[in-house]
Amino acid sequence: MADTNNELVQEKKERKKREHKTEIVPPVVQKIDDSEQFPVEAAYLAMTFESTKKYMFELATPNMEREMPVIEVDGQRSRPIPTDKFKPYQNIVLTSQIIWKGQRRILRYYDGCTSIFADEQPKDKDDIDQFIKVTQPRAFLKGKFGAYGDEKMLLMYLNICSWNSNSPFRTRAANAIFIATDTMKIASVESAKLDETERALQLAKDASRTKMMIHAAYLGIETEDFDSGNELTDTEIRTKYRRRALQDATYFIDSYGNKAIEVKYYINQALIKGLITNKFNPNKLTWQNGKEICDISGLKSNDAIGEKAFEFSQLEDGAEFGIQLRALFS
């Protein structure tokens, strides 16, 4: 009887082996191309790195200078010990929350994993334990850390995570721990700034006297000496004008091309010189010959009248006024 039972058990095992096993095929998830809707995210995912190049990162906050220096004494000689720029060791946290496509998302870096997004990584505990086991700790030494381009996932994590103060995906609560110090990028930015400064200086040098006076007035550059009350010469004004271009090239260039500044200057000068006035009718702005320009009912100060005149000059009905105004000072 026992032999019969053993045969039956064996037969069942063999039958199970022969049975066709149905494979469970996971559903295919089609990725939606939303790169136009989220161009910044798409640009970061498309980042490429040169495999032989080392990409550097630096702690965002240097050490504060000591209020009282530490003095090193050597015999009869002593000297203050300089403060190190950065702390000697700072661990790199390899997990971070970010704002990705308008939603919170968790980043996690593992050595050997093909994604830095936690929701795309394996969920099996054994797999996760293996990733944790093989992932090497990273740290800033004397404020510096570098990774070669063949460590793409690590570099993507470091550029995207909230600990990077330059990341556009940082959460509001995240501390700014480090910044990327791509020397090529830094050089490009500095070169662009130098180009901008050179352009501003050239504009300041080549501007006509009228253009310079208009723009200088907008920039708040004094045209007379504070102590003596004497008017400054054109050379003195242009020196101040060029110095302002050097101080803030971006603002100088942006305002230089602003046509509204010129119109407001012409209106202000025309009011001062009586070329436009409200003396014939306090509720009407007119030319000095009495021809009406626009209604200024209720306005008393030159500033308010000038602002109203400027608003009128920007309308279709005020186009002729603007042309005549420029002709007075050209």
Side-chain angles (χ1 to χ4, degrees):
M1 186 69 178
D3 290 342
T4 303
N5 288 337
N6 288 336
E7 288 177 3
L8 288 171
V9 171
Q10 188 66 29
E11 185 179 344
K12 285 181 180 180
K13 288 181 177 179
E14 292 296 328
R15 190 164 57 243
K16 277 189 174 182
K17 288 181 180 179
R18 291 193 299 270
E19 285 177 355
H20 176 70
K21 292 183 179 179
T22 305
E23 292 185 6
I24 300 173
V25 180
V28 177
V29 179
Q30 292 186 346
K31 291 188 176 181
I32 301 171
D33 183 8
D34 54 5
S35 57
E36 290 187 5
Q37 185 180 359
F38 301 104
V40 179
E41 286 85 345
Y44 270 73
L45 289 179
M47 284 191 301
T48 58
F49 306 97
E50 297 177 30
S51 60
T52 57
K53 180 179 177 179
K54 194 172 188 179
Y55 295 83
M56 298 302 297
F57 299 83
E58 182 180 273
L59 290 179
T61 307
N63 290 329
M64 294 181 65
E65 288 288 339
R66 301 186 186 98
E67 291 186 10
M68 298 295 292
V70 176
I71 305 298
E72 181 184 54
V73 179
D74 181 13
Q76 298 298 316
R77 293 178 301 176
S78 64
R79 66 179 185 89
I81 299 175
T83 304
D84 290 335
K85 185 176 181 182
F86 297 106
K87 61 177 71 174
Y89 183 90
Q90 171 78 46
N91 182 55
I92 297 177
V93 179
L94 298 177
T95 302
S96 171
Q97 281 196 28
I98 59 169
I99 305 299
W100 188 264
K101 298 181 181 179
Q103 302 293 326
R104 290 238 172 189
R105 202 171 180 186
I106 296 176
L107 292 186
R108 186 180 295 123
Y109 173 77
Y110 293 125
D111 284 336
C113 192
T114 56
S115 177
I116 59 172
F117 295 100
D119 52 31
E120 295 178 354
Q121 294 172 344
K123 302 298 184 288
D124 184 78
K125 184 179 182 303
D126 291 338
D127 290 337
I128 294 173
D129 288 344
Q130 182 62 23
F131 276 130
I132 293 173
K133 183 178 179 181
V134 300
T135 300
Q136 298 295 316
R138 268 84 172 182
F140 287 90
L141 300 178
K142 295 185 178 180
K144 306 286 185 179
F145 175 79
Y148 283 98
D150 55 5
E151 297 180 277
K152 181 178 179 180
M153 288 298 128
L154 176 59
L155 287 170
M156 286 185 67
Y157 172 83
L158 292 171
N159 278 283
I160 295 174
C161 72
S162 284
W163 311 125
N164 186 335
S165 65
N166 292 333
S167 170
F169 313 110
R170 297 183 68 239
T171 61
R172 290 187 297 274
N175 293 325
I177 304 299
F178 61 85
I179 57 174
T181 56
D182 186 337
T183 53
M184 187 64 190
K185 183 178 179 180
I186 292 171
S188 298
V189 171
E190 289 181 351
S191 179
K193 285 183 177 179
L194 288 171
D195 288 344
E196 190 174 51
T197 301
E198 288 176 1
R199 184 185 170 209
L201 287 171
Q202 194 64 46
L203 288 173
K205 183 179 179 180
D206 295 342
S208 66
R209 182 185 185 280
T210 301
K211 177 68 177 179
M212 177 184 71
M213 297 301 291
I214 294 170
H215 197 202
Y218 175 79
L219 294 173
I221 296 172
E222 299 293 338
T223 57
E224 63 178 38
D225 182 70
F226 178 79
D227 295 322
S228 66
N230 296 329
E231 289 191 3
L232 298 177
T233 65
D234 288 356
T235 301
E236 289 171 320
I237 295 171
R238 192 172 294 274
T239 300
K240 290 176 175 287
Y241 188 54
R242 293 173 70 182
R243 191 178 296 123
R244 183 61 60 85
L246 185 62
Q247 289 172 351
D248 192 345
T250 302
Y251 185 65
F252 185 93
I253 292 170
D254 289 346
S255 56
Y256 186 91
N258 190 337
K259 297 297 183 183
I261 293 172
E262 294 184 7
V263 177
K264 287 182 176 181
Y265 176 84
Y266 293 145
I267 290 171
N268 183 54
Q269 291 298 307
L271 284 169
I272 292 172
K273 296 177 180 180
L275 301 176
I276 56 176
T277 181
N278 65 339
K279 69 179 182 180
F280 299 108
N281 184 340
N283 294 320
K284 301 290 182 181
L285 182 66
T286 66
W287 294 102
Q288 59 183 350
N289 62 5
K291 184 179 179 182
E292 183 180 330
I293 299 172
C294 65
D295 184 80
I296 55 169
S297 298
L299 304 179
K300 302 297 181 184
S301 69
N302 266 8
D303 287 342
I305 293 171
E307 189 60 34
K308 182 67 176 180
F310 171 73
E311 291 174 4
F312 176 70
S313 72
Q314 303 304 296
L315 302 175
E316 186 176 348
D317 291 345
E320 184 63 28
F321 166 62
I323 293 170
Q324 292 178 350
L325 195 64
R326 288 186 182 88
L328 290 174
F329 295 93
S330 60

